Amino acid sequence: MTSVSAKERNRPVQEKAAETDEYSLDRVPRSERKMGWLSITNITFGIATAIFYFQMGSVMALKFGAINALISSAYAIVVAGILGSFIAYFSAKSGMNVNLMSRGGGFGYIGASLTSFIYATNFIMYCAFEGLILVAAVHTFFPSIPEWAFIVIFGSLVIPLNWFGISQLDKLQKWSLPIFFLFLVAAIAFSFFTPSLNSGHFWAYMPSGTEVGGTALLMCIGMHHGMMGLTALLASDYTRFMKPKDTKIGAIAVGFIPQFFCFGVMGVLGIWFGVRLDEANPGVYIVTLLGIGGALFTMLTQLRINVTNIYSASLSLSSFFENIFRFTPGRRFWVVVAGVSAIVLMLGGIVDHLDKAMTFQGVFLLAWAAVLVTDALVVKRVLKIGPRFYEARQQYLYKWNPVGTISLIIASLLGTIAALGYMGVFLESTAAFFAALLAAILTIVTAIATKGRYYLKKEPKDIPADDYIA
């Protein structure tokens, strides 16, 4: 029998629970922020290397022209990189992810719960989208096995891969990244030896009736908006564990490096593959290029991203149910719930509703990111309204704070109406950016109008000065 030291036996129950629960319900103590920025950047590569970015690049190039897709990719890197850097910095300073930051960042603890739930559903939906790409690739080689069997197998696999939290994610992403790059280089090399189905340089490809700029470019930007908010917010789930000495360089690295890779490398390669092979589905052209190796490549990339999708979903679900129902079964319980939910969505054909899901997601997530950044940089730092720190504990917070809640609801509602085409072609394509700008303005106006009275019910006395963000 393994002996247990007296020190281990006497450790507080809350401390042991926090380790298992990955601090899903409170800030990470400074003593537990031990991850270097390189390790955290490595974890975020699980998102940046998703084949979904291939698909976005291919679809945009074939529908709207390669040059429009390239310009849009550059825009996505810059805007998402700036947002992501700010979010990563606030997360590293406070030891919180965006779900917890939202509680003291303008929403109140019930208002923040609504963002947590929608955030969780986004990750579960993405897990389903990514899982179906994997299923399609593998089913090509084993058509006698029904697709539902692959859905259950691959959907279940991400659950044990999430069991031990961020340290397990770090090891998985670290050891699988070199294999991913080998497959990627092989796919690029084989594409050079595969005759192009479209003549001329790939960046010059332009469908009939399409021109550079105008509506075609706006449509590409609109497609990118569906992912930009997610990639900017996602880093906070990992940067809260960052070493304090790495905060500044780490925030910029985690903010920009993954964005550059997902939009600038994976997206541009998607444009390249799509134009050369005249095919938008990477599940088809990667298998065409690498055969069974393509199926293995797809399996690796999709498992890499889906373990991070489920991890983030589990944190958001933990926050939502603790806030609303005081139900705290632990993060691992929510890993199982998120994994099973993704399987159900795959079996139900969620991919048929991809466009509607991406539209609302882009509007909501960019507006949410805009509220958080505006609250920290303008309301807290410039206007000196509200506390200079984030507080997540219910006893110190109001249920609702109109600053973030009203701003997000109005911006998301009007942004969705614009995205559905009721405000003209320009706003239809830029609905998420419109919603983000509107959310930022409303955050400032509402904070001034309420004079910050709904941020704290009472002042906590135990916030470390180093955790202040303003």
Side-chain angles (χ1 to χ4, degrees):
M1 180 181 295
T2 304
S3 62
V4 180
S5 67
K7 182 179 179 181
E8 177 65 22
R9 284 197 305 270
N10 294 329
R11 276 200 309 153
V13 173
Q14 295 92 332
E15 184 181 334
K16 296 177 183 178
E19 290 177 2
T20 302
D21 211 34
E22 297 274 296
Y23 298 98
S24 59
L25 303 177
D26 202 358
R27 72 176 68 237
V28 178
R30 296 189 73 80
S31 61
E32 295 299 318
R33 302 177 202 173
K34 301 175 181 178
M35 296 190 71
W37 66 270
L38 277 173
S39 291
I40 292 172
T41 303
N42 170 64
I43 292 175
T44 62
F45 264 99
I47 301 297
T49 55
I51 282 184
F52 187 77
Y53 294 106
F54 278 170
Q55 188 163 14
M56 284 186 65
S58 300
V59 169
M60 286 189 291
L62 294 176
K63 278 191 173 183
F64 307 114
I67 191 65
N68 287 318
L70 289 168
I71 295 171
S72 180
S73 296
Y75 161 84
I77 292 169
V78 173
V79 176
I82 292 172
L83 279 177
S85 295
F86 280 124
I87 295 292
Y89 177 78
F90 301 143
S91 171
K93 283 286 289 181
S94 64
M96 298 182 182
N97 65 5
V98 287
N99 297 307
L100 297 179
M101 286 160 55
S102 295
R103 297 185 187 185
F107 289 88
Y109 72 84
I110 297 297
S113 296
L114 300 179
T115 64
S116 296
F117 184 73
I118 297 176
Y119 196 43
T121 60
N122 283 327
F123 283 112
I124 293 170
M125 282 193 300
Y126 264 111
C127 185
F129 293 146
E130 302 285 359
L132 286 172
I133 293 176
L134 169 56
V135 167
V138 177
H139 188 256
T140 302
F141 290 93
F142 304 100
S144 60
I145 301 176
E147 286 193 352
W148 67 262
F150 287 122
I151 288 174
V152 172
I153 292 169
F154 293 124
S156 301
L157 188 57
V158 296
I159 295 174
L161 291 175
N162 256 288
W163 206 248
F164 297 103
I166 195 166
S167 60
Q168 184 180 14
L169 262 65
D170 183 29
K171 292 175 183 176
L172 174 67
Q173 304 293 21
K174 186 178 295 180
W175 291 108
S176 62
L177 189 60
I179 303 172
F180 163 82
F181 276 119
L182 285 175
F183 275 119
L184 183 62
V185 170
I188 296 170
F190 275 88
S191 69
F192 275 107
F193 295 101
T194 302
S196 175
L197 298 179
N198 288 295
S199 59
H201 297 294
F202 84 99
W203 61 81
Y205 175 81
M206 191 70 66
S208 177
T210 306
E211 58 185 21
V212 178
T215 302
L217 177 59
L218 290 176
M219 293 302 291
C220 290
I221 290 173
M223 289 182 67
H224 269 129
H225 280 156
M227 286 297 298
M228 288 162 56
L230 182 70
T231 55
L233 291 165
L234 175 65
S236 70
D237 287 335
Y238 313 107
T239 48
R240 62 202 176 106
F241 291 100
M242 187 183 292
K243 293 177 182 178
K245 69 180 183 67
D246 288 354
T247 298
K248 291 183 179 179
I249 185 174
I252 296 173
V254 175
F256 273 95
I257 293 176
Q259 317 295 350
F260 175 78
F261 200 84
C262 63
F263 299 120
V265 177
M266 296 293 284
V268 171
L269 284 174
I271 297 170
W272 160 266
F273 290 136
V275 171
R276 283 189 65 86
L277 301 172
D278 200 29
E279 172 60 57
N281 189 342
V284 174
Y285 60 66
I286 292 297
V287 171
T288 300
L289 290 171
L290 299 180
I292 189 67
L296 293 174
F297 180 39
T298 305
M299 184 183 303
L300 177 68
T301 57
Q302 301 314 86
L303 288 177
R304 279 170 55 83
I305 186 172
N306 271 351
V307 292
T308 54
N309 280 334
I310 294 299
Y311 179 79
S312 293
S314 70
L315 295 179
S316 298
L317 289 173
S318 294
S319 179
F320 173 77
F321 281 91
E322 184 265 344
N323 253 345
I324 301 296
F325 303 107
R326 301 296 181 91
F327 181 52
T328 57
R331 187 191 64 85
R332 288 173 176 170
F333 174 84
W334 297 115
V335 166
V336 176
V337 170
V340 171
S341 299
I343 292 172
V344 171
L345 288 177
M346 284 189 276
L347 292 172
I350 182 64
V351 73
D352 296 332
H353 307 284
L354 175 62
D355 56 341
K356 295 181 180 65
M358 290 284 287
T359 295
F360 177 73
Q361 176 179 284
V363 166
F364 171 80
L365 292 179
L366 271 185
W368 183 18
V371 170
L372 289 176
V373 172
T374 304
D375 173 77
L377 290 182
V378 181
V379 176
K380 285 180 167 61
R381 189 180 292 263
V382 177
L383 300 177
K384 311 295 184 186
I385 296 175
R388 297 166 55 209
F389 52 83
Y390 289 123
E391 176 55 74
R393 294 166 292 185
Q394 290 188 12
Q395 65 264 36
Y396 295 105
L397 299 169
Y398 288 98
K399 290 183 177 180
W400 302 92
N401 186 342
V403 173
T405 307
I406 290 177
S407 301
L408 182 64
I409 290 174
I410 293 177
S412 296
L413 179 62
L414 292 178
T416 300
I417 292 172
L420 294 175
Y422 294 108
M423 294 185 180
V425 175
F426 178 76
L427 285 182
E428 180 181 359
S429 305
T430 59
F433 185 82
F434 163 68
L437 183 61
L438 181 60
I441 295 170
L442 289 172
T443 298
I444 297 169
V445 171
T446 312
I448 293 173
T450 59
K451 299 179 181 178
R453 69 171 66 93
Y454 297 102
Y455 277 90
L456 291 175
K457 191 160 50 176
K458 60 180 179 178
E459 185 93 12
K461 303 299 183 183
D462 58 349
I463 306 297
D466 288 336
D467 281 7
Y468 281 35
I469 62 161

